[in-house]
Amino acid sequence: MLAWRELLDARALALHRPDCTTVMVSPRSPAGTFPPAAARRLHDAALSRLLPALGGQVARATYPAPTGPVTLLVIAAGARRVKLGCLETEERDAVGELTDADVVLPAPLGRGDLGRPPRPCLVCGEPAKRCIVLRRHPRELVVLAARRLYARAFHDPSGLAPPADARHPHPHPHPHPTPPHHRDPHRSFA
């Protein structure tokens, strides 16, 4: 993954133009979260929301990546204005929640640089970077959370059933089940 990121950084540098801002648009979920068609649909939806918010596109290149398509956009505007457009798009809806739109050139510009709080984790809502660094959540839970957001965004859960290992992320989901002979047959669960 590190080699892939270095390759993208080199491509961004080659595509960048003076007096412009380069943005990397990528999925915000682990590799293999979505089938290829779903990853493309998410990416296309993110771009359709992002481009009007950013303005004058000078150059664009899309590359396949392990996590899904990644697009580099060169925008004829200052980095601060572009990052504000990225944030507006990321915070608008589930498509934005599943997409990273990062200013990478002329210099990286993050949410904190604009006085904004860190992005929340898809699983728990705490700062995402902290959860990633500390590996707080099993990969399966992150995938499941991303798939639920996708289903909400497109009202289409087809092909996004959770992987078998995400249905019960703990080895024993019910460590002390009530034995059948101790259950109250007259209790209603409706």
Side-chain angles (χ1 to χ4, degrees):
M1 204 62 179
L2 184 60
W4 175 247
R5 181 59 196 232
E6 288 173 359
L7 178 62
L8 277 176
D9 289 343
R11 288 177 172 172
L13 193 56
L15 195 65
H16 186 69
R17 303 289 180 265
D19 300 322
C20 291
T21 300
T22 300
V23 175
M24 186 179 301
V25 182
S26 60
R28 189 179 170 227
S29 54
T33 298
F34 302 114
R40 170 59 67 186
R41 182 180 189 191
L42 174 62
H43 187 72
D44 291 349
L47 287 177
S48 72
R49 288 163 170 80
L50 187 60
L51 288 172
L54 299 184
Q57 178 181 301
V58 173
R60 173 180 175 170
T62 300
Y63 306 97
T67 56
V70 174
T71 295
L72 296 170
L73 299 169
V74 179
I75 307 297
R80 189 174 183 81
R81 190 184 79 64
V82 169
K83 184 61 179 180
L84 286 170
C86 292
L87 293 175
E88 173 187 306
T89 303
E90 287 176 349
E91 295 169 352
R92 184 181 308 160
D93 57 21
V95 169
E97 288 182 66
L98 288 169
T99 305
D100 275 331
D102 297 322
V103 169
V104 293
L105 293 168
L109 185 66
R111 300 171 69 85
D113 297 322
L114 299 178
R116 298 295 264 282
R119 282 198 87 174
C121 171
L122 294 174
V123 174
C124 70
E126 292 295 315
K129 283 188 180 178
R130 191 176 311 147
C131 290
I132 291 167
V133 169
L134 296 175
R135 295 183 178 170
R136 282 188 175 156
H137 312 294
R139 180 188 183 283
E140 296 79 20
L141 285 182
V142 178
V143 168
L144 184 59
R147 288 181 173 188
R148 285 181 177 155
L149 276 172
Y150 181 96
R152 189 174 82 204
F154 296 105
H155 310 290
D156 176 17
S158 63
L160 298 178
D165 53 354
R167 290 189 187 115
H168 295 291
H170 306 289
H172 304 288
H174 304 288
H176 305 290
T178 305
H181 63 280
H182 288 162
R183 291 187 188 134
D184 181 354
H186 303 290
R187 184 172 173 198
S188 169
F189 292 98

